[in-house]
Amino acid sequence: MLYFIIVKEAKGSTVISDDTIKYIQQNSLMLLLVSFASLSIVFQIFTMLFKFNILKLVVLVGTFGLAMAFAGNDLVNFIGVPLAGLSSYKAFIASGLSDPGMMTMEFLKGEVKSDTYLLLIASLVMVATLWFSRKARTVTETEISLGRQDSGFEKFGSSLSARSIVRQALNLNTFYKSILPDRFINWSNSRFAPAYLHGYSHSKDIPAFDLIRATVNLTVASVLIAFATSLKLPLSTTYVTFMVAMGTSLSDKAWGRESAVYRVTGVMTVIGGWFFTAFIAFSISMIVAFIVSYGGIYAISGFILLTLFFITRTHIIHRKKVLADSEALNITTYTDQLNGEDIIKKCNSYSTEILNLSGEILMSTIRGLASEDRKLLRQTRQNVRILVEKAKLVKAGIPATIRALELNNVDTSHKYIQVVDYLREITRSVRTITEHATEHVENNHEPLSEIQTAEINKVIIEMKAILDAIVRIKLSTDYSAVSELKTKQAALDELINASSQEQVSRMANERMSSKSAMLYINLMFELGNLVNDSIHLIKAQRVFSTRMTI
């Protein structure tokens, strides 16, 4: 690290005199040996006398080293082109030529030393961007998320290629375990025990990885970037840092079977995105240059407006994604030690949101089905995806919730799991109903008759009233009205059964569309399941809340 920063990078510095640079280059070996010996002695003294964990200092120095390596590469990329343009302008003014076409580019063959104030301004712009940019924080969060030691909410899903890679790795692991002695395997496993995870009172305080891996990440990434920069090789500093972090994560056994598929998918997505971006940049640059060469100032003006539009749109999309990820983490993670009342409130909050959204989706679905409004049904399917994703996140947060409960009563935790399962069943019924209705309209089948539509509307209205009543009970935590819901459920079951039987009679006695008849029966069946699951949900919620407040 010192070699690349002090020896290699000193020659391009604008704040070090030429004599000092010459001295450093002539005595580089001696400086490195003295630095190594003196630092080793100092570190050993700190370790022996003060019991100081020297890795903390190494991580701190490594952070500055990585920042220096980034600056040595990214700063050049950031201001290299505009400074070259400024130097070209100054050289043209000094040449006294009147025609820019007569000037050659020979002066750019040598080294161009930039003014210190320009470097400072550029550095401040980069620091401010890193400090305030949401996208910069997202890149860091993605890297830490894919490399963290513990499992939990994963930002990426699974893919066929990732599943294949993990499966092959497991097969290879099984082969090695069959030929290696058990003593060696037990010793090896003991070296990967994440002891640093223990001793933290709050889950948010647990580091993503230990000091050893942090040291390796910072040191190796800094050395690689500084080495490539000294050789004037083109590289992506973010890519190098990311891949170093992924390599240490893999070797540190951070990718267990709980998270391996999602982490591999994330790495492949990020790497593919980098290569795909390069291909897109190459192609778009060619197209833009072609259009500008023929369109002139009009094309330039249009591209400026188009760029502003895409920047604004990307910012809005990114902000929505950040909010969605934040909500997902809030659902699946308990960062504080919550008491029973807090857990009940949180459970009621997201289950109430799911029930309200379910009722709205069903009402929109029936309206779209009756009017054959494809646009409304497509929008409803988008809302169904949001609904299913929310329920999926709630279920993914079960382990964190159980750990936060800190109860010896297993049955209480079991009731919470039942609440979440019933929520998932409700969302499945909503998704099935919406898919059947959308598919029926998209395939241009015969619409439901007025009698069928009226009967389904009547069932939907009664079912929506039950869902609203469940929401009121959840918000008030007064479960005395559950008995009334049972009466409403029985009445609604009778209505669904009577309507279904009437439909069967119509199918036998009348000539009607078989598609619409089967759609009607399927919708009634799913609505009946949804109501039953809703009643089971509030019963399980009542038991869970009662035991949590005891």
Side-chain angles (χ1 to χ4, degrees), residues 378-409:
R378 292 193 188 103
Q379 180 60 46
T380 303
R381 292 187 72 176
Q382 294 293 332
N383 294 333
V384 169
R385 293 189 183 97
I386 297 174
L387 175 70
V388 172
E389 186 63 26
K390 286 181 180 294
K392 181 180 178 181
L393 289 171
V394 172
K395 189 163 187 177
I398 286 179
T401 308
I402 299 303
R403 288 193 296 267
L405 290 176
E406 295 184 349
L407 297 175
N408 294 325
N409 191 342

PDB file of all heavy atoms in Angstrom, residues 378-409:
ATOM      1  N   ARG A 378     -55.750  -4.881 -15.701  1.00  0.00           N
ATOM      2  CA  ARG A 378     -54.274  -4.905 -15.706  1.00  0.00           C
ATOM      3  C   ARG A 378     -53.727  -4.132 -14.514  1.00  0.00           C
ATOM      4  O   ARG A 378     -52.749  -4.557 -13.879  1.00  0.00           O
ATOM      5  CB  ARG A 378     -53.756  -4.309 -17.018  1.00  0.00           C
ATOM      6  CG  ARG A 378     -54.067  -5.157 -18.249  1.00  0.00           C
ATOM      7  CD  ARG A 378     -53.273  -4.681 -19.442  1.00  0.00           C
ATOM      8  NE  ARG A 378     -53.705  -5.350 -20.668  1.00  0.00           N
ATOM      9  CZ  ARG A 378     -54.466  -4.790 -21.594  1.00  0.00           C
ATOM     10  NH1 ARG A 378     -54.890  -3.536 -21.433  1.00  0.00           N
ATOM     11  NH2 ARG A 378     -54.822  -5.451 -22.684  1.00  0.00           N
ATOM     12  N   GLN A 379     -54.336  -2.987 -14.206  1.00  0.00           N
ATOM     13  CA  GLN A 379     -53.900  -2.225 -13.038  1.00  0.00           C
ATOM     14  C   GLN A 379     -54.143  -3.009 -11.753  1.00  0.00           C
ATOM     15  O   GLN A 379     -53.327  -2.977 -10.827  1.00  0.00           O
ATOM     16  CB  GLN A 379     -54.650  -0.885 -12.992  1.00  0.00           C
ATOM     17  CG  GLN A 379     -54.277   0.001 -11.813  1.00  0.00           C
ATOM     18  CD  GLN A 379     -52.805   0.366 -11.820  1.00  0.00           C
ATOM     19  OE1 GLN A 379     -52.262   0.737 -12.856  1.00  0.00           O
ATOM     20  NE2 GLN A 379     -52.153   0.269 -10.679  1.00  0.00           N
ATOM     21  N   THR A 380     -55.253  -3.739 -11.737  1.00  0.00           N
ATOM     22  CA  THR A 380     -55.556  -4.551 -10.557  1.00  0.00           C
ATOM     23  C   THR A 380     -54.522  -5.652 -10.376  1.00  0.00           C
ATOM     24  O   THR A 380     -54.129  -5.973  -9.244  1.00  0.00           O
ATOM     25  CB  THR A 380     -56.961  -5.162 -10.695  1.00  0.00           C
ATOM     26  OG1 THR A 380     -57.922  -4.108 -10.870  1.00  0.00           O
ATOM     27  CG2 THR A 380     -57.332  -5.945  -9.450  1.00  0.00           C
ATOM     28  N   ARG A 381     -54.058  -6.237 -11.463  1.00  0.00           N
ATOM     29  CA  ARG A 381     -53.030  -7.272 -11.364  1.00  0.00           C
ATOM     30  C   ARG A 381     -51.725  -6.701 -10.825  1.00  0.00           C
ATOM     31  O   ARG A 381     -50.994  -7.386 -10.095  1.00  0.00           O
ATOM     32  CB  ARG A 381     -52.800  -7.916 -12.735  1.00  0.00           C
ATOM     33  CG  ARG A 381     -53.981  -8.744 -13.227  1.00  0.00           C
ATOM     34  CD  ARG A 381     -53.649  -9.493 -14.494  1.00  0.00           C
ATOM     35  NE  ARG A 381     -52.730 -10.591 -14.251  1.00  0.00           N
ATOM     36  CZ  ARG A 381     -52.348 -11.458 -15.195  1.00  0.00           C
ATOM     37  NH1 ARG A 381     -52.815 -11.327 -16.447  1.00  0.00           N
ATOM     38  NH2 ARG A 381     -51.531 -12.427 -14.914  1.00  0.00           N
ATOM     39  N   GLN A 382     -51.431  -5.453 -11.179  1.00  0.00           N
ATOM     40  CA  GLN A 382     -50.245  -4.811 -10.590  1.00  0.00           C
ATOM     41  C   GLN A 382     -50.398  -4.676  -9.078  1.00  0.00           C
ATOM     42  O   GLN A 382     -49.453  -4.915  -8.314  1.00  0.00           O
ATOM     43  CB  GLN A 382     -50.030  -3.428 -11.227  1.00  0.00           C
ATOM     44  CG  GLN A 382     -49.663  -3.448 -12.695  1.00  0.00           C
ATOM     45  CD  GLN A 382     -48.288  -4.044 -12.952  1.00  0.00           C
ATOM     46  OE1 GLN A 382     -47.399  -3.997 -12.110  1.00  0.00           O
ATOM     47  NE2 GLN A 382     -48.110  -4.635 -14.124  1.00  0.00           N
ATOM     48  N   ASN A 383     -51.586  -4.302  -8.637  1.00  0.00           N
ATOM     49  CA  ASN A 383     -51.838  -4.193  -7.200  1.00  0.00           C
ATOM     50  C   ASN A 383     -51.764  -5.557  -6.517  1.00  0.00           C
ATOM     51  O   ASN A 383     -51.348  -5.660  -5.353  1.00  0.00           O
ATOM     52  CB  ASN A 383     -53.202  -3.556  -6.953  1.00  0.00           C
ATOM     53  CG  ASN A 383     -53.258  -2.111  -7.411  1.00  0.00           C
ATOM     54  OD1 ASN A 383     -52.234  -1.423  -7.454  1.00  0.00           O
ATOM     55  ND2 ASN A 383     -54.440  -1.638  -7.766  1.00  0.00           N
ATOM     56  N   VAL A 384     -52.173  -6.600  -7.247  1.00  0.00           N
ATOM     57  CA  VAL A 384     -52.085  -7.956  -6.681  1.00  0.00           C
ATOM     58  C   VAL A 384     -50.625  -8.340  -6.457  1.00  0.00           C
ATOM     59  O   VAL A 384     -50.289  -8.967  -5.434  1.00  0.00           O
ATOM     60  CB  VAL A 384     -52.775  -8.970  -7.616  1.00  0.00           C
ATOM     61  CG1 VAL A 384     -52.456 -10.398  -7.190  1.00  0.00           C
ATOM     62  CG2 VAL A 384     -54.277  -8.760  -7.599  1.00  0.00           C
ATOM     63  N   ARG A 385     -49.754  -7.964  -7.385  1.00  0.00           N
ATOM     64  CA  ARG A 385     -48.323  -8.270  -7.203  1.00  0.00           C
ATOM     65  C   ARG A 385     -47.787  -7.586  -5.949  1.00  0.00           C
ATOM     66  O   ARG A 385     -46.995  -8.169  -5.198  1.00  0.00           O
ATOM     67  CB  ARG A 385     -47.534  -7.822  -8.439  1.00  0.00           C
ATOM     68  CG  ARG A 385     -47.852  -8.620  -9.701  1.00  0.00           C
ATOM     69  CD  ARG A 385     -46.884  -8.271 -10.815  1.00  0.00           C
ATOM     70  NE  ARG A 385     -47.215  -8.982 -12.038  1.00  0.00           N
ATOM     71  CZ  ARG A 385     -47.926  -8.458 -13.033  1.00  0.00           C
ATOM     72  NH1 ARG A 385     -48.361  -7.214 -12.930  1.00  0.00           N
ATOM     73  NH2 ARG A 385     -48.202  -9.165 -14.116  1.00  0.00           N
ATOM     74  N   ILE A 386     -48.203  -6.350  -5.736  1.00  0.00           N
ATOM     75  CA  ILE A 386     -47.778  -5.632  -4.527  1.00  0.00           C
ATOM     76  C   ILE A 386     -48.313  -6.339  -3.285  1.00  0.00           C
ATOM     77  O   ILE A 386     -47.599  -6.505  -2.286  1.00  0.00           O
ATOM     78  CB  ILE A 386     -48.273  -4.174  -4.578  1.00  0.00           C
ATOM     79  CG1 ILE A 386     -47.632  -3.435  -5.754  1.00  0.00           C
ATOM     80  CG2 ILE A 386     -47.977  -3.456  -3.264  1.00  0.00           C
ATOM     81  CD1 ILE A 386     -48.169  -2.042  -5.966  1.00  0.00           C
ATOM     82  N   LEU A 387     -49.581  -6.764  -3.351  1.00  0.00           N
ATOM     83  CA  LEU A 387     -50.202  -7.457  -2.220  1.00  0.00           C
ATOM     84  C   LEU A 387     -49.474  -8.755  -1.900  1.00  0.00           C
ATOM     85  O   LEU A 387     -49.148  -9.030  -0.727  1.00  0.00           O
ATOM     86  CB  LEU A 387     -51.669  -7.751  -2.556  1.00  0.00           C
ATOM     87  CG  LEU A 387     -52.454  -8.571  -1.528  1.00  0.00           C
ATOM     88  CD1 LEU A 387     -52.699  -7.745  -0.281  1.00  0.00           C
ATOM     89  CD2 LEU A 387     -53.774  -9.053  -2.131  1.00  0.00           C
ATOM     90  N   VAL A 388     -49.197  -9.550  -2.919  1.00  0.00           N
ATOM     91  CA  VAL A 388     -48.514 -10.831  -2.706  1.00  0.00           C
ATOM     92  C   VAL A 388     -47.110 -10.610  -2.161  1.00  0.00           C
ATOM     93  O   VAL A 388     -46.639 -11.347  -1.284  1.00  0.00           O
ATOM     94  CB  VAL A 388     -48.475 -11.635  -4.026  1.00  0.00           C
ATOM     95  CG1 VAL A 388     -47.606 -12.877  -3.883  1.00  0.00           C
ATOM     96  CG2 VAL A 388     -49.891 -12.031  -4.440  1.00  0.00           C
ATOM     97  N   GLU A 389     -46.425  -9.589  -2.655  1.00  0.00           N
ATOM     98  CA  GLU A 389     -45.073  -9.308  -2.181  1.00  0.00           C
ATOM     99  C   GLU A 389     -45.077  -8.890  -0.712  1.00  0.00           C
ATOM    100  O   GLU A 389     -44.202  -9.287   0.061  1.00  0.00           O
ATOM    101  CB  GLU A 389     -44.435  -8.205  -3.037  1.00  0.00           C
ATOM    102  CG  GLU A 389     -42.985  -7.933  -2.726  1.00  0.00           C
ATOM    103  CD  GLU A 389     -42.079  -9.109  -2.993  1.00  0.00           C
ATOM    104  OE1 GLU A 389     -42.432  -9.945  -3.855  1.00  0.00           O
ATOM    105  OE2 GLU A 389     -41.018  -9.197  -2.343  1.00  0.00           O
ATOM    106  N   LYS A 390     -46.078  -8.109  -0.312  1.00  0.00           N
ATOM    107  CA  LYS A 390     -46.184  -7.710   1.097  1.00  0.00           C
ATOM    108  C   LYS A 390     -46.395  -8.935   1.985  1.00  0.00           C
ATOM    109  O   LYS A 390     -45.752  -9.078   3.034  1.00  0.00           O
ATOM    110  CB  LYS A 390     -47.323  -6.715   1.279  1.00  0.00           C
ATOM    111  CG  LYS A 390     -47.042  -5.314   0.756  1.00  0.00           C
ATOM    112  CD  LYS A 390     -48.221  -4.404   1.008  1.00  0.00           C
ATOM    113  CE  LYS A 390     -47.950  -2.992   0.473  1.00  0.00           C
ATOM    114  NZ  LYS A 390     -46.857  -2.328   1.231  1.00  0.00           N
ATOM    115  N   ALA A 391     -47.306  -9.807   1.570  1.00  0.00           N
ATOM    116  CA  ALA A 391     -47.551 -11.015   2.363  1.00  0.00           C
ATOM    117  C   ALA A 391     -46.313 -11.907   2.402  1.00  0.00           C
ATOM    118  O   ALA A 391     -46.016 -12.530   3.429  1.00  0.00           O
ATOM    119  CB  ALA A 391     -48.740 -11.779   1.779  1.00  0.00           C
ATOM    120  N   LYS A 392     -45.589 -11.953   1.299  1.00  0.00           N
ATOM    121  CA  LYS A 392     -44.368 -12.759   1.253  1.00  0.00           C
ATOM    122  C   LYS A 392     -43.325 -12.212   2.214  1.00  0.00           C
ATOM    123  O   LYS A 392     -42.625 -12.964   2.917  1.00  0.00           O
ATOM    124  CB  LYS A 392     -43.828 -12.768  -0.176  1.00  0.00           C
ATOM    125  CG  LYS A 392     -42.565 -13.587  -0.356  1.00  0.00           C
ATOM    126  CD  LYS A 392     -42.106 -13.527  -1.809  1.00  0.00           C
ATOM    127  CE  LYS A 392     -40.794 -14.301  -1.994  1.00  0.00           C
ATOM    128  NZ  LYS A 392     -40.326 -14.226  -3.408  1.00  0.00           N
ATOM    129  N   LEU A 393     -43.203 -10.894   2.281  1.00  0.00           N
ATOM    130  CA  LEU A 393     -42.241 -10.277   3.191  1.00  0.00           C
ATOM    131  C   LEU A 393     -42.627 -10.509   4.644  1.00  0.00           C
ATOM    132  O   LEU A 393     -41.765 -10.722   5.505  1.00  0.00           O
ATOM    133  CB  LEU A 393     -42.152  -8.773   2.904  1.00  0.00           C
ATOM    134  CG  LEU A 393     -41.460  -8.382   1.590  1.00  0.00           C
ATOM    135  CD1 LEU A 393     -41.627  -6.902   1.324  1.00  0.00           C
ATOM    136  CD2 LEU A 393     -39.991  -8.756   1.634  1.00  0.00           C
ATOM    137  N   VAL A 394     -43.933 -10.451   4.922  1.00  0.00           N
ATOM    138  CA  VAL A 394     -44.394 -10.708   6.288  1.00  0.00           C
ATOM    139  C   VAL A 394     -44.002 -12.121   6.712  1.00  0.00           C
ATOM    140  O   VAL A 394     -43.538 -12.352   7.833  1.00  0.00           O
ATOM    141  CB  VAL A 394     -45.915 -10.506   6.392  1.00  0.00           C
ATOM    142  CG1 VAL A 394     -46.429 -10.971   7.750  1.00  0.00           C
ATOM    143  CG2 VAL A 394     -46.263  -9.038   6.198  1.00  0.00           C
ATOM    144  N   LYS A 395     -44.173 -13.072   5.802  1.00  0.00           N
ATOM    145  CA  LYS A 395     -43.817 -14.450   6.133  1.00  0.00           C
ATOM    146  C   LYS A 395     -42.306 -14.603   6.273  1.00  0.00           C
ATOM    147  O   LYS A 395     -41.823 -15.363   7.125  1.00  0.00           O
ATOM    148  CB  LYS A 395     -44.344 -15.402   5.054  1.00  0.00           C
ATOM    149  CG  LYS A 395     -44.201 -16.870   5.439  1.00  0.00           C
ATOM    150  CD  LYS A 395     -45.068 -17.765   4.588  1.00  0.00           C
ATOM    151  CE  LYS A 395     -45.036 -19.208   5.117  1.00  0.00           C
ATOM    152  NZ  LYS A 395     -45.931 -20.094   4.357  1.00  0.00           N
ATOM    153  N   ALA A 396     -41.539 -13.878   5.456  1.00  0.00           N
ATOM    154  CA  ALA A 396     -40.081 -13.943   5.563  1.00  0.00           C
ATOM    155  C   ALA A 396     -39.585 -13.387   6.893  1.00  0.00           C
ATOM    156  O   ALA A 396     -38.502 -13.731   7.353  1.00  0.00           O
ATOM    157  CB  ALA A 396     -39.434 -13.182   4.405  1.00  0.00           C
ATOM    158  N   GLY A 397     -40.399 -12.511   7.508  1.00  0.00           N
ATOM    159  CA  GLY A 397     -40.004 -11.915   8.776  1.00  0.00           C
ATOM    160  C   GLY A 397     -40.369 -12.736   9.992  1.00  0.00           C
ATOM    161  O   GLY A 397     -40.155 -12.288  11.130  1.00  0.00           O
ATOM    162  N   ILE A 398     -40.924 -13.949   9.790  1.00  0.00           N
ATOM    163  CA  ILE A 398     -41.317 -14.791  10.934  1.00  0.00           C
ATOM    164  C   ILE A 398     -40.140 -15.100  11.860  1.00  0.00           C
ATOM    165  O   ILE A 398     -40.255 -14.943  13.080  1.00  0.00           O
ATOM    166  CB  ILE A 398     -41.988 -16.084  10.430  1.00  0.00           C
ATOM    167  CG1 ILE A 398     -43.402 -15.772   9.913  1.00  0.00           C
ATOM    168  CG2 ILE A 398     -42.073 -17.125  11.546  1.00  0.00           C
ATOM    169  CD1 ILE A 398     -44.139 -16.982   9.374  1.00  0.00           C
ATOM    170  N   PRO A 399     -38.966 -15.536  11.341  1.00  0.00           N
ATOM    171  CA  PRO A 399     -37.858 -15.843  12.260  1.00  0.00           C
ATOM    172  C   PRO A 399     -37.450 -14.663  13.130  1.00  0.00           C
ATOM    173  O   PRO A 399     -37.221 -14.821  14.333  1.00  0.00           O
ATOM    174  CB  PRO A 399     -36.728 -16.257  11.308  1.00  0.00           C
ATOM    175  CG  PRO A 399     -37.420 -16.753  10.088  1.00  0.00           C
ATOM    176  CD  PRO A 399     -38.630 -15.880   9.947  1.00  0.00           C
ATOM    177  N   ALA A 400     -37.362 -13.469  12.528  1.00  0.00           N
ATOM    178  CA  ALA A 400     -36.978 -12.284  13.304  1.00  0.00           C
ATOM    179  C   ALA A 400     -38.036 -11.965  14.360  1.00  0.00           C
ATOM    180  O   ALA A 400     -37.713 -11.556  15.482  1.00  0.00           O
ATOM    181  CB  ALA A 400     -36.793 -11.082  12.374  1.00  0.00           C
ATOM    182  N   THR A 401     -39.310 -12.169  14.022  1.00  0.00           N
ATOM    183  CA  THR A 401     -40.379 -11.904  14.985  1.00  0.00           C
ATOM    184  C   THR A 401     -40.333 -12.880  16.141  1.00  0.00           C
ATOM    185  O   THR A 401     -40.474 -12.488  17.305  1.00  0.00           O
ATOM    186  CB  THR A 401     -41.747 -12.001  14.280  1.00  0.00           C
ATOM    187  OG1 THR A 401     -41.751 -11.182  13.116  1.00  0.00           O
ATOM    188  CG2 THR A 401     -42.856 -11.549  15.208  1.00  0.00           C
ATOM    189  N   ILE A 402     -40.122 -14.144  15.825  1.00  0.00           N
ATOM    190  CA  ILE A 402     -40.059 -15.157  16.886  1.00  0.00           C
ATOM    191  C   ILE A 402     -38.890 -14.855  17.828  1.00  0.00           C
ATOM    192  O   ILE A 402     -39.014 -14.985  19.054  1.00  0.00           O
ATOM    193  CB  ILE A 402     -39.921 -16.563  16.271  1.00  0.00           C
ATOM    194  CG1 ILE A 402     -41.138 -16.884  15.385  1.00  0.00           C
ATOM    195  CG2 ILE A 402     -39.762 -17.607  17.358  1.00  0.00           C
ATOM    196  CD1 ILE A 402     -42.462 -16.797  16.095  1.00  0.00           C
ATOM    197  N   ARG A 403     -37.753 -14.439  17.257  1.00  0.00           N
ATOM    198  CA  ARG A 403     -36.609 -14.100  18.117  1.00  0.00           C
ATOM    199  C   ARG A 403     -36.911 -12.880  18.970  1.00  0.00           C
ATOM    200  O   ARG A 403     -36.466 -12.785  20.116  1.00  0.00           O
ATOM    201  CB  ARG A 403     -35.373 -13.846  17.255  1.00  0.00           C
ATOM    202  CG  ARG A 403     -34.784 -15.097  16.624  1.00  0.00           C
ATOM    203  CD  ARG A 403     -33.407 -14.820  16.067  1.00  0.00           C
ATOM    204  NE  ARG A 403     -33.447 -13.848  14.980  1.00  0.00           N
ATOM    205  CZ  ARG A 403     -33.543 -14.183  13.701  1.00  0.00           C
ATOM    206  NH1 ARG A 403     -33.613 -15.461  13.348  1.00  0.00           N
ATOM    207  NH2 ARG A 403     -33.569 -13.261  12.760  1.00  0.00           N
ATOM    208  N   ALA A 404     -37.668 -11.925  18.415  1.00  0.00           N
ATOM    209  CA  ALA A 404     -37.978 -10.716  19.166  1.00  0.00           C
ATOM    210  C   ALA A 404     -38.984 -10.984  20.284  1.00  0.00           C
ATOM    211  O   ALA A 404     -39.024 -10.251  21.271  1.00  0.00           O
ATOM    212  CB  ALA A 404     -38.523  -9.633  18.229  1.00  0.00           C
ATOM    213  N   LEU A 405     -39.814 -12.023  20.126  1.00  0.00           N
ATOM    214  CA  LEU A 405     -40.817 -12.324  21.154  1.00  0.00           C
ATOM    215  C   LEU A 405     -40.159 -12.701  22.479  1.00  0.00           C
ATOM    216  O   LEU A 405     -40.632 -12.317  23.546  1.00  0.00           O
ATOM    217  CB  LEU A 405     -41.721 -13.463  20.674  1.00  0.00           C
ATOM    218  CG  LEU A 405     -42.681 -13.131  19.528  1.00  0.00           C
ATOM    219  CD1 LEU A 405     -43.438 -14.372  19.095  1.00  0.00           C
ATOM    220  CD2 LEU A 405     -43.656 -12.051  19.940  1.00  0.00           C
ATOM    221  N   GLU A 406     -39.094 -13.478  22.409  1.00  0.00           N
ATOM    222  CA  GLU A 406     -38.366 -13.909  23.599  1.00  0.00           C
ATOM    223  C   GLU A 406     -39.309 -14.555  24.613  1.00  0.00           C
ATOM    224  O   GLU A 406     -39.325 -14.240  25.802  1.00  0.00           O
ATOM    225  CB  GLU A 406     -37.629 -12.741  24.243  1.00  0.00           C
ATOM    226  CG  GLU A 406     -36.532 -12.181  23.359  1.00  0.00           C
ATOM    227  CD  GLU A 406     -35.752 -11.084  24.042  1.00  0.00           C
ATOM    228  OE1 GLU A 406     -36.191 -10.623  25.115  1.00  0.00           O
ATOM    229  OE2 GLU A 406     -34.708 -10.694  23.512  1.00  0.00           O
ATOM    230  N   LEU A 407     -40.147 -15.457  24.119  1.00  0.00           N
ATOM    231  CA  LEU A 407     -41.113 -16.129  24.988  1.00  0.00           C
ATOM    232  C   LEU A 407     -40.816 -17.616  25.034  1.00  0.00           C
ATOM    233  O   LEU A 407     -40.390 -18.207  24.046  1.00  0.00           O
ATOM    234  CB  LEU A 407     -42.540 -15.914  24.470  1.00  0.00           C
ATOM    235  CG  LEU A 407     -43.044 -14.463  24.449  1.00  0.00           C
ATOM    236  CD1 LEU A 407     -44.403 -14.421  23.793  1.00  0.00           C
ATOM    237  CD2 LEU A 407     -43.121 -13.901  25.850  1.00  0.00           C
ATOM    238  N   ASN A 408     -41.050 -18.193  26.210  1.00  0.00           N
ATOM    239  CA  ASN A 408     -40.892 -19.637  26.337  1.00  0.00           C
ATOM    240  C   ASN A 408     -42.129 -20.386  25.859  1.00  0.00           C
ATOM    241  O   ASN A 408     -42.095 -21.584  25.643  1.00  0.00           O
ATOM    242  CB  ASN A 408     -40.593 -20.008  27.793  1.00  0.00           C
ATOM    243  CG  ASN A 408     -39.248 -19.462  28.239  1.00  0.00           C
ATOM    244  OD1 ASN A 408     -38.315 -19.412  27.454  1.00  0.00           O
ATOM    245  ND2 ASN A 408     -39.160 -19.031  29.488  1.00  0.00           N
ATOM    246  N   ASN A 409     -43.246 -19.666  25.727  1.00  0.00           N
ATOM    247  CA  ASN A 409     -44.491 -20.284  25.313  1.00  0.00           C
ATOM    248  C   ASN A 409     -44.459 -20.475  23.798  1.00  0.00           C
ATOM    249  O   ASN A 409     -44.658 -19.532  23.038  1.00  0.00           O
ATOM    250  CB  ASN A 409     -45.674 -19.399  25.724  1.00  0.00           C
ATOM    251  CG  ASN A 409     -46.997 -20.123  25.560  1.00  0.00           C
ATOM    252  OD1 ASN A 409     -47.092 -21.131  24.855  1.00  0.00           O
ATOM    253  ND2 ASN A 409     -48.008 -19.613  26.212  1.00  0.00           N
TER     254      ASN A 409
END
